[in-house]
Amino acid sequence: MSTMFGQSNPGGSGPFGNSQASASASQPTTQASNILSNLNTSQAPQQQGSLFTEGGQSKRQASGGLFSNLGTSQPQSISSLGAKGIFGDTTNSNTQAGLSGSNNATKTSQQLAGSNFNGGLLGPSQAAQSQSNPQHNGQGVDNALHSGYFNSLLEKGRKRSRGLEETSGVGQIPSLQLGLGDIARRLKELGSTRNQTQKGQGDDTKAHYLLAASGVNPGNTLRDLNSLNAQITTPAVRLPITDWDPDTNRYIEQLQQRSTLKMIAEGIDRANRDFDAYLEEQVDINWDAQRKRIYEHFGLKPKAPDGQFEDLSNGNPREDNRGSFGRFSKRGRITNVERQSQGTPRRSLFGQSGMQKSVIGTPGVGLGNATLFADVADNSATGPGAQDDRGLRQRQGKYAEKVQRLNRARLQETVYPILQEFASVEGQSANESPSQLTDAYKALMQIVGENPDAGSVTDPNAVRERQYATDYLDESNNSARTINIRKRIIEGSRKSLEKLFIEQLESLIARNPREANLGGIPTTINKIRAYIRIRSARKDLAPDGTELQLLNDEYCWAIIFFLLRTGNVKEAAEYVTSNATAFRALDRNFVTYITSYASSFERRLPRSQQDRINAEYQQRTRIAPDNSIDPYRLACYKVIGRCELSKRNIEIITHGVEDWMWLQFNLAREVNRVEEVAGEVFGLEEVRETIKEIGQRHFSKGSESAGGYGTYFFMLILGGMFEQAVAFLYPHSYVAAVHFAVALNFYGLLRVSDFSVSESELLTYNTKELPQISFGRMLGYYTRDFRTGNVVAAVDYLTLICLNTDLTGDLGRSQSSLCHEALRELVLETREFAELLGDIRGDGTRITGAIEQRLKLIGLADQEEFLRTVTLQAASVADDSGRTTDAVLLYHLAEDYDSVIVIINRALSDSIAVDIGNEQLRLQPLKPRIAPQSGQQFQQLQSDGSSLSLTSVDDPTTLARNMISLYNANALYYQKIRPPHRDACGVLLRISEAKVKVEAQRWAEALDIITSLSLLPLTANSSIPLIRSHAQTLSTLPPSISRLIGPLLLWTITCIGKQRDLLLSNEGQGGFESDTRRRMRDDLVGKAKDLMVFAGLVKLRLGTGVWEGLVGGAGDLGVY
């Protein structure tokens, strides 16, 4: 059974414990003992909780009991004694012997206390043993005293708890009692938590206890380790005395390596900074301006007047144009073009795109265009199968020709009947598209009143560009402009349906001449009679059993109805008037009705006649027996008197959708709804609602009638629902939908959306629920099919985006910016710079490109603005992409001749830097405007006035010679080039010539060229000051030349060595000639020595492997 006071020294038995007890028995409570033992100690805080603070103690003291040294005057670490338990072996089964508040512990404490008062702490039976071993005696006394002290503390705690219960009156409430073991455990947890929070303060004590439990003395072990470390590390600190290393090559090599590493690190840092700046510039948004735009878009805030609200992408922000975080929304570099045009919005510049999505999309062919819009992709499944590629290309080619003629007419300010021309293309593609598309173009011709015979825009009958934009785009529902445009739509749709019926009537008569029996003069009424004869012969004029009234052996009511159906109201009135007596016998009031109807401009009856005809119609339809009234008579009453508007169909005599639609538009009237009778209100809005219901019921996705998309599209066009019509047609035939949108937008009958609002949808709605089309993106996506092969046609289509620049506010400016952005993307994608931006003739004169020819149509007033907004930015992008020939041409077209020479110098330097024997650098040649025919020479093309472009070469040297010869021949060009750049170009051309001589093994000529450059000290004659002067001049040279000093040194050493070998091989002729050769050889060796001295001075500026090559070549010459 373990003793209460821990284990004794292994050398002897303790008074109460076994000397052979294991030290591991006290392991679980050692940490608690360290904490509790501090209650009676006054030791320094730094000694608490550490096992390695007893380095100066002896083994005897370290292995003693826990309380054996409390009375000594020597400072000792409490934790060093913590390997023994405070309360005995806690892992033993007799753990109750500890001071934990248990009965056994109390009993043992009372026995100890009692023996102390009876004359000795240990009792008389153990006095002798105590005297014989004074050390253990003193240790036992101390243990007993401290044991009694803790017992007294325990009793005081219990008495205090009982006193509190009695005084507070809450004795019946159980109190929370914690014994010393619980307190020790709580303190241990607090101590461990505190040790974890104090980082770097103290070590993990659990490791110490583990060592102690394993029989290792941590203090002694630490002392031994410290002494061992001191012995090991002391000689290692001393550096061996080495002799001075005179090898400068190693020092220079290390210096070069450090310089290289430093340059690499600086390059990485610079790349990181550039990437961060680019990321900030792309991601950042001006949240204040964006919030204003959102508020204005949803009508939460009135739109600011022009000039007071700045666009999001304005390149010159004002004080109030700051982001939410106090920073300007535009960061990064500002190009020269942007500095020159601070007042121009960024979206109209051809620099970095302000769009988050491409305007023109990626090139592609086929119906994939339909999936570029999210709302169109959902309905694309209803479309027909893929069209024939050949037929599609032919159709697109025909449309492209029409669009080119349209833009040519716009430039010449002449009238172009766009609807008629587009209808002819659809008529030629009848097998690939439904006939309703051609009918829709004809309906639009009636709505806008297009006159193909008008010669110029000054003709009164001519319809001008964007003529109806103001009326159609008016968002007020009851304004005079809106009512006028609705009246025009109703009248034009009715007339188009009447003309369509006349065409069908004449076609039927032509196919059935015998039944028609037209004869005589083919007047309108005679054609109607012939048509009725055919229908009557076919038994489809009226249902079986229906009685039709005859007048002079003619179906009079049928004749009147079909005259009204074909729009011949006056002819119908004349027919009734000529038979007035007979008609009065049939219906005494009808003559009055039709006469008033024909004479009215709005095709309306006076109020008295209107009430009378309504009463008669109601009476006849209710009282008359079935099939007793001629159905054509009731149809005439309904058309003339607008009777029973709640029922707007005639089931007996209508035979198609066109007849039903004609009836709707014939009954519709646009009047002031406040003054109109409620039962007689029927206008274009009601017609549109009916068309929408039909579309949802019969032409929605998955319906059986979805395949007949042409019918519903025709109905949408007739109803003036142009935006919905384009969006509906797009997934079925995007080619036709695009050109319908172009024609509508040309006359101002299409509402377009802002590209920043509708980036992924074709059809959207504004705040007033008015439909709008993403016109710009639709055109851009359409050019995907052909812009690679026909870039001029793509320019014509993208130019049409600027039709909407007449819109007020930000919308008009955004459309102009969208057009400019689309053209910029087209230029950079196709790289047809000679075709789009212009070219250069052999004499330096300029050929205008396709975009420049259309400056008037894209909102760029003069050539200077065009060059600033298009060419310079395209040149900058081409230069950044490494397309040298493109950049040279574009900078020349932009009249930035100095930049042309800078780019040429850089390309020429890169070409010269290629090692001899390797494949030479080649440029990507520019596409010429006119490809040369077989056997046709460049000079002949130039004489004809055409151009193959001076930049259409792949050799940098040839490109440099072409451009520098052009600039040297013209003082206007020459003066705009900085002299250092001109001189550098000349030097590079000479170096390139020297390289050619070296490759051809013409050593003497190459040496003469290199000597004439004065870049190397070949004429120094061993003069150190001259050599040093050349080395100092190297830092003042342009980078394109200074980087070539290393290759130039190698070529020179090679030429000297080869020329010397040549002189040696020719030696033997004797006499004066041998002495001359000897002097020449000595002169060459002297030049080589001068070059080596020069190379040693600029060694760090030479490229990789240059010094080794120089040393090898100089060694062969005998320099070293």
Coordinates of all heavy atoms in Angstrom, one line a residue, residues 598-669:
A598 N -69.1 54.8 -98.0 CA -68.1 55.1 -99.0 C -67.6 56.5 -99.0 O -66.5 56.8 -99.3 CB -68.7 54.8 -100.4
S599 N -68.5 57.4 -98.6 CA -68.1 58.9 -98.6 C -67.3 59.3 -97.3 O -66.7 60.3 -97.3 CB -69.3 59.7 -98.7 OG -70.2 59.5 -97.7
S600 N -67.3 58.4 -96.3 CA -66.7 58.8 -95.0 C -65.2 58.4 -95.1 O -64.8 57.4 -95.6 CB -67.3 58.0 -93.9 OG -66.6 58.2 -92.7
F601 N -64.3 59.4 -94.7 CA -62.9 59.1 -94.7 C -62.5 58.1 -93.7 O -61.6 57.3 -94.0 CB -62.2 60.5 -94.4 CG -60.7 60.3 -94.3 CD1 -59.9 60.2 -95.5 CD2 -60.0 60.3 -93.1 CE1 -58.6 60.0 -95.4 CE2 -58.7 60.1 -93.0 CZ -57.9 60.0 -94.2
E602 N -63.1 58.0 -92.6 CA -62.8 57.0 -91.6 C -63.7 55.8 -91.7 O -63.6 54.9 -90.8 CB -63.0 57.6 -90.2 CG -62.1 58.8 -89.9 CD -62.3 59.3 -88.5 OE1 -63.2 58.8 -87.8 OE2 -61.5 60.1 -88.0
R603 N -64.4 55.6 -92.8 CA -65.3 54.5 -93.0 C -66.2 54.3 -91.8 O -66.3 53.1 -91.3 CB -64.4 53.2 -93.2 CG -63.6 53.3 -94.5 CD -64.5 53.2 -95.7 NE -63.7 53.0 -96.9 CZ -63.3 54.0 -97.7 NH1 -63.7 55.3 -97.4 NH2 -62.7 53.8 -98.8
R604 N -66.9 55.3 -91.4 CA -67.9 55.2 -90.3 C -69.2 55.9 -90.7 O -69.2 56.9 -91.4 CB -67.3 55.9 -89.0 CG -66.0 55.3 -88.5 CD -65.7 55.8 -87.1 NE -66.7 55.3 -86.2 CZ -66.6 55.5 -84.9 NH1 -65.7 56.3 -84.4 NH2 -67.5 55.0 -84.1
L605 N -70.3 55.4 -90.1 CA -71.6 55.9 -90.4 C -72.0 57.0 -89.3 O -71.5 56.9 -88.2 CB -72.7 54.8 -90.4 CG -72.5 53.7 -91.4 CD1 -73.6 52.6 -91.2 CD2 -72.6 54.2 -92.8
P606 N -72.8 57.9 -89.7 CA -73.3 58.8 -88.7 C -74.0 58.1 -87.6 O -74.5 56.9 -87.7 CB -74.3 59.7 -89.5 CG -73.8 59.6 -90.9 CD -73.3 58.2 -91.0
R607 N -74.2 58.7 -86.4 CA -74.7 58.1 -85.3 C -76.2 57.5 -85.5 O -76.5 56.4 -85.1 CB -74.7 59.0 -84.1 CG -75.4 58.6 -82.8 CD -74.9 57.2 -82.4 NE -73.5 57.1 -82.2 CZ -72.8 56.0 -81.9 NH1 -73.5 54.8 -81.9 NH2 -71.6 56.0 -81.8
S608 N -77.0 58.3 -86.2 CA -78.4 57.9 -86.4 C -78.4 56.6 -87.3 O -79.1 55.7 -87.0 CB -79.2 59.0 -87.1 OG -78.6 59.4 -88.3
Q609 N -77.6 56.6 -88.4 CA -77.6 55.5 -89.2 C -76.9 54.3 -88.5 O -77.3 53.1 -88.8 CB -76.8 55.8 -90.5 CG -77.5 56.9 -91.4 CD -76.7 57.2 -92.7 OE1 -75.8 56.5 -93.0 NE2 -77.1 58.2 -93.4
Q610 N -76.0 54.6 -87.7 CA -75.3 53.5 -86.9 C -76.3 52.8 -86.0 O -76.3 51.5 -86.0 CB -74.2 54.1 -86.1 CG -73.4 53.0 -85.3 CD -72.6 52.1 -86.2 OE1 -71.9 52.6 -87.1 NE2 -72.7 50.8 -86.0
D611 N -77.1 53.5 -85.3 CA -78.1 52.9 -84.4 C -79.2 52.1 -85.2 O -79.6 51.1 -84.8 CB -78.8 54.0 -83.6 CG -77.8 54.7 -82.7 OD1 -76.7 54.1 -82.4 OD2 -78.1 55.8 -82.2
R612 N -79.6 52.7 -86.4 CA -80.6 52.0 -87.2 C -80.1 50.7 -87.8 O -80.8 49.7 -87.8 CB -81.0 53.0 -88.3 CG -82.3 52.5 -89.0 CD -82.6 53.4 -90.2 NE -82.5 54.8 -89.9 CZ -82.2 55.7 -90.7 NH1 -81.9 55.5 -92.0 NH2 -82.1 57.0 -90.3
I613 N -78.8 50.7 -88.3 CA -78.3 49.5 -88.9 C -78.0 48.4 -87.9 O -78.2 47.2 -88.1 CB -77.0 49.8 -89.7 CG1 -76.7 48.6 -90.6 CG2 -75.8 50.1 -88.8 CD1 -75.6 48.9 -91.6
N614 N -77.7 48.8 -86.7 CA -77.5 47.9 -85.6 C -78.8 47.2 -85.2 O -78.9 46.0 -85.0 CB -76.9 48.5 -84.3 CG -75.4 48.8 -84.5 OD1 -74.7 48.2 -85.3 ND2 -74.9 49.9 -83.8
A615 N -79.9 48.0 -85.2 CA -81.2 47.5 -84.8 C -81.7 46.5 -85.9 O -82.2 45.4 -85.6 CB -82.2 48.6 -84.6
E616 N -81.5 46.9 -87.1 CA -81.9 46.0 -88.2 C -81.1 44.7 -88.2 O -81.7 43.6 -88.4 CB -81.7 46.7 -89.6 CG -82.7 47.9 -89.8 CD -82.5 48.6 -91.1 OE1 -81.6 48.1 -91.9 OE2 -83.1 49.6 -91.4
Y617 N -79.8 44.8 -87.9 CA -79.0 43.6 -87.9 C -79.4 42.7 -86.8 O -79.6 41.4 -87.0 CB -77.5 44.0 -87.8 CG -76.6 42.8 -87.7 CD1 -76.1 42.2 -88.9 CD2 -76.1 42.2 -86.5 CE1 -75.3 41.2 -88.9 CE2 -75.3 41.2 -86.5 CZ -74.8 40.6 -87.7 OH -74.0 39.5 -87.7
Q618 N -79.7 43.2 -85.6 CA -80.1 42.4 -84.5 C -81.5 41.8 -84.8 O -81.7 40.6 -84.4 CB -80.2 43.3 -83.2 CG -78.8 43.8 -82.8 CD -77.9 42.7 -82.2 OE1 -78.4 41.6 -81.8 NE2 -76.6 42.9 -82.2
Q619 N -82.4 42.5 -85.4 CA -83.7 42.0 -85.7 C -83.6 40.8 -86.7 O -84.3 39.8 -86.5 CB -84.6 43.1 -86.2 CG -86.0 42.7 -86.5 CD -86.8 43.9 -87.0 OE1 -86.3 45.0 -87.3 NE2 -88.1 43.7 -87.1
R620 N -82.9 41.0 -87.7 CA -82.8 39.9 -88.7 C -82.1 38.7 -88.2 O -82.5 37.6 -88.5 CB -82.1 40.5 -90.0 CG -83.0 41.4 -90.8 CD -82.3 41.7 -92.1 NE -83.2 42.3 -93.1 CZ -83.5 43.6 -93.1 NH1 -83.0 44.4 -92.2 NH2 -84.4 44.1 -94.0
T621 N -81.1 38.8 -87.4 CA -80.4 37.7 -87.0 C -81.2 36.9 -85.9 O -81.0 35.7 -85.7 CB -79.0 38.1 -86.4 OG1 -79.2 39.1 -85.4 CG2 -78.1 38.6 -87.5
R622 N -82.1 37.6 -85.2 CA -82.8 36.9 -84.1 C -84.2 36.3 -84.6 O -84.6 35.3 -84.2 CB -83.1 37.9 -83.0 CG -81.8 38.3 -82.3 CD -82.2 39.3 -81.2 NE -80.9 39.7 -80.5 CZ -80.9 40.6 -79.5 NH1 -82.1 41.2 -79.1 NH2 -79.8 40.9 -78.9
I623 N -84.8 37.1 -85.5 CA -86.2 36.7 -85.9 C -86.2 35.7 -87.1 O -86.9 34.8 -87.2 CB -87.0 37.9 -86.2 CG1 -87.1 38.8 -84.9 CG2 -88.4 37.5 -86.7 CD1 -87.9 40.1 -85.2
A624 N -85.3 36.0 -88.1 CA -85.3 35.2 -89.3 C -85.0 33.8 -89.1 O -84.1 33.5 -88.2 CB -84.3 35.8 -90.3
P625 N -85.6 32.9 -89.7 CA -85.3 31.4 -89.6 C -83.9 31.1 -90.2 O -83.3 31.9 -90.9 CB -86.4 30.7 -90.4 CG -87.5 31.8 -90.6 CD -86.8 33.1 -90.6
D626 N -83.4 30.0 -89.8 CA -82.1 29.6 -90.3 C -82.1 29.4 -91.8 O -83.0 28.9 -92.4 CB -81.7 28.3 -89.6 CG -81.5 28.4 -88.1 OD1 -81.3 29.6 -87.7 OD2 -81.5 27.4 -87.4
N627 N -81.0 29.8 -92.4 CA -80.7 29.7 -93.8 C -81.8 30.5 -94.7 O -81.9 30.2 -95.9 CB -80.7 28.2 -94.3 CG -79.6 27.4 -93.6 OD1 -78.6 28.0 -93.3 ND2 -79.9 26.2 -93.4
S628 N -82.5 31.4 -94.0 CA -83.5 32.2 -94.8 C -82.9 33.5 -95.2 O -83.5 34.2 -96.1 CB -84.7 32.4 -93.9 OG -84.4 33.1 -92.8
I629 N -81.8 33.9 -94.6 CA -81.2 35.2 -95.0 C -79.9 35.0 -95.7 O -79.1 34.1 -95.3 CB -81.0 36.1 -93.7 CG1 -82.3 36.3 -93.0 CG2 -80.3 37.4 -94.1 CD1 -82.2 37.1 -91.7
D630 N -79.7 35.7 -96.7 CA -78.4 35.6 -97.5 C -77.2 35.9 -96.5 O -77.2 37.0 -96.0 CB -78.4 36.6 -98.7 CG -77.3 36.3 -99.6 OD1 -76.3 35.7 -99.2 OD2 -77.4 36.6 -100.8
P631 N -76.3 35.0 -96.3 CA -75.2 35.3 -95.4 C -74.3 36.4 -95.9 O -73.7 37.1 -95.0 CB -74.4 33.9 -95.4 CG -74.8 33.2 -96.6 CD -76.2 33.7 -96.9
Y632 N -74.2 36.6 -97.2 CA -73.4 37.8 -97.7 C -74.1 39.1 -97.3 O -73.4 40.1 -97.2 CB -73.2 37.6 -99.2 CG -72.2 36.5 -99.5 CD1 -72.7 35.3 -99.9 CD2 -70.9 36.7 -99.4 CE1 -71.8 34.2 -100.2 CE2 -70.0 35.7 -99.7 CZ -70.4 34.5 -100.1 OH -69.6 33.5 -100.4
R633 N -75.4 39.1 -97.2 CA -76.1 40.3 -96.8 C -75.8 40.6 -95.4 O -75.5 41.8 -95.0 CB -77.6 40.1 -97.0 CG -78.5 41.3 -96.6 CD -79.9 41.0 -96.8 NE -80.8 42.2 -96.5 CZ -82.1 42.3 -96.6 NH1 -82.7 41.2 -97.1 NH2 -82.7 43.4 -96.4
L634 N -75.8 39.6 -94.5 CA -75.4 39.9 -93.1 C -73.9 40.3 -93.0 O -73.6 41.2 -92.2 CB -75.6 38.6 -92.3 CG -77.1 38.2 -92.1 CD1 -77.2 36.9 -91.3 CD2 -77.9 39.3 -91.4
A635 N -73.1 39.7 -93.8 CA -71.7 40.1 -93.8 C -71.5 41.6 -94.2 O -70.7 42.3 -93.7 CB -70.9 39.2 -94.7
C636 N -72.3 42.0 -95.2 CA -72.2 43.4 -95.6 C -72.6 44.3 -94.5 O -72.1 45.4 -94.3 CB -73.0 43.6 -96.9 SG -72.4 42.8 -98.4
Y637 N -73.7 44.0 -93.8 CA -74.2 44.8 -92.7 C -73.1 44.8 -91.6 O -72.9 45.9 -91.0 CB -75.5 44.1 -92.1 CG -76.7 44.7 -92.7 CD1 -77.1 44.4 -94.0 CD2 -77.5 45.6 -92.0 CE1 -78.2 44.9 -94.6 CE2 -78.7 46.1 -92.6 CZ -79.0 45.8 -93.9 OH -80.2 46.3 -94.4
K638 N -72.4 43.7 -91.3 CA -71.4 43.7 -90.2 C -70.2 44.6 -90.6 O -69.7 45.3 -89.8 CB -71.0 42.3 -90.0 CG -69.9 42.1 -88.9 CD -69.5 40.7 -88.6 CE -70.6 40.1 -87.7 NZ -70.6 40.7 -86.4
V639 N -69.9 44.5 -91.9 CA -68.7 45.3 -92.3 C -69.0 46.8 -92.4 O -68.2 47.6 -91.9 CB -68.2 44.8 -93.7 CG1 -67.2 45.8 -94.3 CG2 -67.7 43.4 -93.6
I640 N -70.1 47.1 -92.9 CA -70.5 48.6 -93.0 C -70.9 49.2 -91.7 O -70.4 50.3 -91.3 CB -71.6 48.7 -94.1 CG1 -71.1 48.3 -95.5 CG2 -72.1 50.2 -94.1 CD1 -72.2 48.3 -96.5
G641 N -71.7 48.5 -90.9 CA -72.2 49.0 -89.7 C -71.4 48.6 -88.5 O -71.8 49.1 -87.4
R642 N -70.4 47.8 -88.6 CA -69.6 47.3 -87.4 C -70.6 46.7 -86.3 O -70.6 47.1 -85.2 CB -68.8 48.4 -86.8 CG -67.8 49.0 -87.8 CD -67.0 50.1 -87.2 NE -66.1 49.6 -86.2 CZ -66.0 50.1 -84.9 NH1 -66.9 51.0 -84.5 NH2 -65.2 49.6 -84.0
C643 N -71.5 45.9 -86.8 CA -72.5 45.4 -85.9 C -72.0 44.2 -85.1 O -71.2 43.4 -85.6 CB -73.7 44.9 -86.8 SG -74.4 46.2 -87.8
E644 N -72.5 44.1 -83.9 CA -72.2 43.0 -83.0 C -70.7 42.8 -82.9 O -70.2 41.7 -83.3 CB -73.0 41.7 -83.4 CG -73.0 40.7 -82.3 CD -73.8 39.5 -82.7 OE1 -74.3 39.5 -83.8 OE2 -74.0 38.6 -81.8
L645 N -70.0 43.7 -82.3 CA -68.5 43.6 -82.3 C -68.0 42.5 -81.3 O -66.9 42.1 -81.4 CB -67.9 45.0 -81.8 CG -68.0 46.1 -82.8 CD1 -67.5 47.4 -82.3 CD2 -67.3 45.7 -84.1
S646 N -68.9 42.1 -80.5 CA -68.5 41.0 -79.6 C -68.3 39.7 -80.3 O -67.6 38.8 -79.9 CB -69.5 40.8 -78.5 OG -70.8 40.5 -79.1
K647 N -68.9 39.6 -81.5 CA -68.7 38.4 -82.4 C -68.1 38.9 -83.7 O -68.8 39.4 -84.6 CB -70.1 37.7 -82.6 CG -70.0 36.4 -83.4 CD -71.4 35.8 -83.5 CE -71.3 34.5 -84.3 NZ -72.7 33.9 -84.5
R648 N -66.8 38.7 -83.8 CA -66.1 39.3 -84.9 C -65.6 38.2 -85.9 O -64.5 38.1 -86.3 CB -64.8 40.0 -84.4 CG -65.2 41.2 -83.5 CD -64.0 42.0 -83.1 NE -63.0 41.1 -82.4 CZ -63.0 40.9 -81.0 NH1 -64.0 41.5 -80.3 NH2 -62.2 40.2 -80.5
N649 N -66.5 37.4 -86.3 CA -66.3 36.4 -87.4 C -67.5 36.1 -88.1 O -68.6 36.2 -87.6 CB -65.6 35.1 -86.8 CG -66.6 34.4 -85.8 OD1 -67.5 35.1 -85.2 ND2 -66.3 33.2 -85.5
I650 N -67.4 35.6 -89.3 CA -68.5 35.2 -90.2 C -68.1 33.7 -90.6 O -67.4 33.5 -91.6 CB -68.6 36.1 -91.4 CG1 -68.8 37.5 -91.0 CG2 -69.9 35.7 -92.2 CD1 -68.8 38.5 -92.1
E651 N -68.7 32.8 -89.9 CA -68.3 31.4 -90.1 C -68.7 30.8 -91.4 O -68.1 29.9 -92.0 CB -68.8 30.5 -89.0 CG -68.3 31.0 -87.6 CD -69.0 30.1 -86.5 OE1 -69.8 29.3 -86.8 OE2 -68.6 30.3 -85.3
I652 N -69.8 31.4 -92.0 CA -70.3 30.8 -93.2 C -69.5 31.1 -94.5 O -69.3 30.2 -95.3 CB -71.8 31.2 -93.4 CG1 -72.6 30.8 -92.2 CG2 -72.4 30.7 -94.7 CD1 -74.1 31.2 -92.3
I653 N -69.0 32.3 -94.5 CA -68.4 32.7 -95.8 C -66.9 32.9 -95.7 O -66.2 33.2 -96.7 CB -69.0 34.0 -96.3 CG1 -68.8 35.2 -95.3 CG2 -70.5 33.8 -96.6 CD1 -69.4 36.5 -95.8
T654 N -66.3 32.9 -94.5 CA -64.8 33.1 -94.4 C -64.1 31.7 -94.6 O -64.6 30.7 -94.2 CB -64.4 33.6 -93.0 OG1 -65.0 32.7 -92.0 CG2 -64.9 35.0 -92.8
H655 N -63.0 31.8 -95.4 CA -62.4 30.5 -95.8 C -60.9 30.4 -95.4 O -60.3 29.4 -95.7 CB -62.5 30.4 -97.3 CG -63.9 30.3 -97.9 ND1 -64.6 29.1 -97.9 CD2 -64.7 31.3 -98.4 CE1 -65.8 29.4 -98.4 NE2 -65.9 30.7 -98.7
G656 N -60.4 31.4 -94.7 CA -59.0 31.3 -94.3 C -58.6 32.3 -93.3 O -59.4 33.1 -92.9
V657 N -57.4 32.2 -92.9 CA -56.9 33.2 -91.8 C -56.9 34.6 -92.4 O -57.2 35.6 -91.6 CB -55.4 32.7 -91.4 CG1 -54.9 33.7 -90.4 CG2 -55.5 31.3 -90.8
E658 N -56.5 34.7 -93.7 CA -56.5 36.1 -94.2 C -57.8 36.8 -94.2 O -58.0 38.0 -93.9 CB -55.9 36.0 -95.7 CG -54.5 35.6 -95.8 CD -54.3 34.1 -95.7 OE1 -55.3 33.4 -95.6 OE2 -53.2 33.6 -95.7
D659 N -58.9 36.0 -94.5 CA -60.3 36.6 -94.4 C -60.6 37.0 -93.0 O -61.2 38.0 -92.8 CB -61.3 35.5 -95.0 CG -61.1 35.2 -96.4 OD1 -60.5 36.1 -97.1 OD2 -61.4 34.1 -96.9
W660 N -60.3 36.1 -92.1 CA -60.6 36.5 -90.7 C -59.8 37.7 -90.2 O -60.4 38.6 -89.6 CB -60.3 35.3 -89.8 CG -60.6 35.5 -88.3 CD1 -61.7 35.4 -87.7 CD2 -59.6 36.0 -87.4 NE1 -61.6 35.8 -86.4 CE2 -60.3 36.1 -86.1 CE3 -58.3 36.3 -87.4 CZ2 -59.7 36.5 -85.0 CZ3 -57.6 36.7 -86.2 CH2 -58.4 36.8 -85.0
M661 N -58.5 37.8 -90.6 CA -57.7 38.9 -90.2 C -58.2 40.2 -90.9 O -58.2 41.3 -90.3 CB -56.3 38.7 -90.6 CG -55.5 37.6 -89.7 SD -55.4 38.2 -88.0 CE -54.4 39.6 -88.2
W662 N -58.7 40.1 -92.2 CA -59.2 41.3 -92.8 C -60.4 41.8 -92.1 O -60.6 43.0 -92.0 CB -59.6 40.9 -94.3 CG -60.3 42.0 -95.0 CD1 -59.8 43.1 -95.6 CD2 -61.7 42.1 -95.1 NE1 -60.8 43.9 -96.1 CE2 -62.0 43.3 -95.8 CE3 -62.8 41.3 -94.7 CZ2 -63.3 43.7 -96.2 CZ3 -64.1 41.8 -95.1 CH2 -64.3 43.0 -95.8
L663 N -61.3 40.9 -91.6 CA -62.5 41.3 -90.9 C -62.1 42.1 -89.6 O -62.7 43.1 -89.3 CB -63.4 40.1 -90.6 CG -64.7 40.4 -89.9 CD1 -65.6 41.4 -90.8 CD2 -65.4 39.1 -89.6
Q664 N -61.1 41.6 -89.0 CA -60.6 42.2 -87.7 C -60.2 43.7 -88.0 O -60.6 44.6 -87.3 CB -59.5 41.4 -87.0 CG -59.8 40.0 -86.8 CD -61.1 39.7 -86.1 OE1 -61.4 40.3 -85.0 NE2 -62.0 38.9 -86.7
F665 N -59.3 43.8 -89.0 CA -58.8 45.1 -89.3 C -59.8 46.0 -89.9 O -59.8 47.3 -89.8 CB -57.6 45.0 -90.2 CG -56.4 44.5 -89.5 CD1 -55.9 43.2 -89.7 CD2 -55.7 45.3 -88.6 CE1 -54.8 42.7 -89.0 CE2 -54.6 44.8 -87.9 CZ -54.1 43.5 -88.1
N666 N -60.8 45.4 -90.6 CA -61.9 46.3 -91.2 C -62.8 46.8 -90.1 O -63.4 47.9 -90.2 CB -62.7 45.4 -92.2 CG -63.5 46.3 -93.1 OD1 -63.0 47.0 -94.0 ND2 -64.8 46.3 -92.9
L667 N -63.0 46.0 -89.0 CA -63.8 46.5 -87.9 C -63.1 47.4 -86.9 O -63.8 48.1 -86.2 CB -64.4 45.3 -87.2 CG -65.3 44.3 -88.0 CD1 -65.7 43.1 -87.1 CD2 -66.5 45.0 -88.5
A668 N -61.8 47.3 -86.9 CA -61.0 48.1 -85.9 C -61.0 49.6 -86.3 O -60.9 49.9 -87.5 CB -59.6 47.6 -85.8
R669 N -61.1 50.4 -85.3 CA -61.0 51.9 -85.4 C -60.2 52.4 -84.3 O -60.4 52.0 -83.1 CB -62.4 52.5 -85.5 CG -63.3 52.1 -86.6 CD -62.9 52.6 -87.9 NE -63.9 52.3 -89.0 CZ -64.0 51.1 -89.6 NH1 -63.1 50.1 -89.3 NH2 -64.9 50.9 -90.5

